[in-house]
Amino acid sequence: MRQIRDGIVERFRILTDIYFGDNALEHLSKLGCKKVFIVSDPFVVQSGMIRSVTKPLEQGGIGYVTYTDVVPDPPMEAVVSGVTVFARSGCDCIIGLGGGSALDLAKSIRKVIQSMKPEPRLRLIAIPTTSGTGSEVTSFSVITDTADKVKVPMISDDMTPDEAILDALLVRSVPAGVTADTGMDVITHAVEAYVSTKHNEFSSALAEKAIEISGQFLYRSFANNGDDHARKKMHVAATLAGLAFNSASLGLNHGMAHQLGAHFHVPHGRANAMLLPLVIEYNTGVTSSTRNREVFDPCVERYCHVAHLLGLHSINQVMTI
């Protein structure tokens, strides 16, 4: 999904077909591919979670190859390795299965392959196993330059997955700490998209809904691993936030969090949570000594609306857009 500005004409697109709800993974049996290249992390294989994906593929008579050299903050070398393995695999489709690292690596592998051989178009399906990155519906991928210790964002419409499958079955066993980290990533995505200078009515609506859902269901999801309803809601919220920032873009919070993660290996969502209060203060210019002024920057009203959506109250007047 991209917004293209041309004078007063704007364009809003959703480039990914999204399959969600109970038994969404059954869609895999109907892909029509001959052989699938599955990019996933070792835990997904070792835990047996991968059977949730390979079983419907087998039911559809579809072969597969698993590539599990996925690590947090995937380096450029992993992209090269994945492309090399894919080239001799005989696969005609790629599935990214896992958290943000697996999805970003799958997207980057597809991008490199297509740059070398544009036709036929290589189908990419993203299946998230955490509720956070939104990578399943975005044109962004983040790869780490290990030599310089920086994260390099890659942005291109043709990196956007063709399909995304949201099945809460895959997030039931996510530990509480990871649920908290990834949930804060959702909130940060949505907040940054909502206050972005590139926001529009469509991105704002998606961001608002992601914030509303997170406010209601993130703590429930964190506190009770067996709360399937909360897990389903947060899985959808992550994708809504991804759609929002894919159109409106992100801001300083994510720019800093990526580098914080690259240098100190702090989980990405946790880095966002650590920075968010400071970035909000910086963006708004509201401090203990300035909060009573009569005129505020336009973003302040939008931050106030975010607080309202989250059910937060203070002595300050609640402003609405």
Side-chain angles (χ1 to χ4, degrees):
M1 174 179 58
R2 300 293 292 168
Q3 176 187 340
I4 301 174
R5 297 175 184 269
D6 182 14
I8 61 172
V9 178
E10 299 184 52
R11 182 183 182 187
F12 184 88
R13 301 174 66 198
I14 296 177
L15 301 176
T16 307
D17 290 332
I18 302 170
Y19 298 85
F20 63 101
D22 294 335
N23 305 312
L25 287 168
E26 291 181 2
H27 170 66
L28 292 170
S29 65
K30 308 177 184 68
L31 291 184
C33 300
K34 294 180 180 179
K35 194 175 183 182
V36 173
F37 189 73
I38 303 174
V39 179
S40 190
D41 60 74
F43 172 77
V44 171
V45 176
Q46 294 164 5
S47 66
M49 191 186 303
I50 197 169
R51 286 297 297 159
S52 299
V53 168
T54 57
K55 185 176 179 179
L57 289 174
E58 291 166 359
Q59 291 172 343
I62 302 169
Y64 56 87
V65 171
T66 56
Y67 177 78
T68 60
D69 290 345
V70 178
V71 295
D73 304 324
M76 295 179 182
E77 294 80 2
V79 179
V80 175
S81 174
V83 170
T84 302
V85 176
F86 178 89
R88 56 175 182 261
S89 70
C91 293
D92 59 343
C93 177
I94 295 179
I95 289 179
L97 172 66
S101 295
L103 300 189
D104 280 2
L105 183 57
K107 291 161 74 171
S108 299
I109 290 172
R110 199 269 294 264
K111 173 66 175 176
V112 173
I113 293 168
Q114 294 281 213
S115 67
M116 296 186 297
K117 188 179 179 182
E119 298 296 337
R121 178 172 171 78
L122 185 58
R123 191 172 174 186
L124 175 61
I125 300 163
I127 307 175
T129 60
T130 60
S131 305
T133 69
S135 186
E136 66 274 8
V137 290
T138 71
S139 58
F140 296 79
S141 176
V142 180
I143 299 298
T144 301
D145 182 337
T146 52
D148 292 335
K149 294 184 178 181
V150 296
K151 290 188 177 183
V152 182
M154 300 169 64
I155 308 171
S156 175
D157 276 351
D158 60 6
M159 295 192 73
T160 310
D162 301 292
E163 297 165 46
I165 300 177
L166 310 180
D167 196 318
L169 171 69
L170 297 174
V171 296
R172 283 178 180 166
S173 60
V174 174
V178 176
T179 298
D181 290 341
T182 55
M184 284 308 303
D185 199 18
V186 175
I187 290 176
T188 309
H189 284 155
V191 170
E192 287 207 285
Y194 190 69
V195 303
S196 168
T197 56
K198 297 180 181 179
H199 74 260
N200 55 75
E201 286 85 351
F202 298 99
S203 66
S204 294
L206 291 162
E208 284 181 319
K209 192 62 180 177
I211 292 167
E212 178 187 320
I213 292 173
S214 297
Q216 294 181 48
F217 295 104
L218 174 54
Y219 183 75
R220 277 179 52 177
S221 196
F222 163 79
N224 182 359
N225 220 33
D227 192 336
D228 284 348
H229 183 63
R231 294 270 175 177
K232 289 178 183 178
K233 289 292 189 179
M234 285 306 301
H235 216 36
V236 170
T239 300
L240 292 172
L243 291 170
F245 83 74
N246 200 48
S247 173
S249 197
L250 294 170
L252 179 62
N253 210 111
H254 263 77
M256 294 173 66
H258 282 312
Q259 304 317 320
L260 190 63
H263 279 274
F264 301 105
H265 306 291
V266 179
H268 177 62
R270 192 176 307 173
N272 276 321
M274 292 163 59
L275 293 166
L276 188 58
L278 302 172
V279 172
I280 290 175
E281 182 176 314
Y282 175 80
N283 284 344
T284 60
V286 177
T287 65
S288 58
S289 61
T290 63
R291 63 185 177 189
N292 293 322
R293 66 189 186 194
E294 293 184 3
V295 179
F296 292 94
D297 293 335
C299 72
V300 175
E301 291 192 10
R302 299 187 73 81
Y303 277 121
C304 285
H305 189 60
V306 168
H308 178 69
L309 290 169
L310 290 171
L312 302 176
H313 302 285
S314 73
I315 59 173
N316 299 76
Q317 179 182 357
V318 175
M319 293 180 284
T320 58
I321 58 172

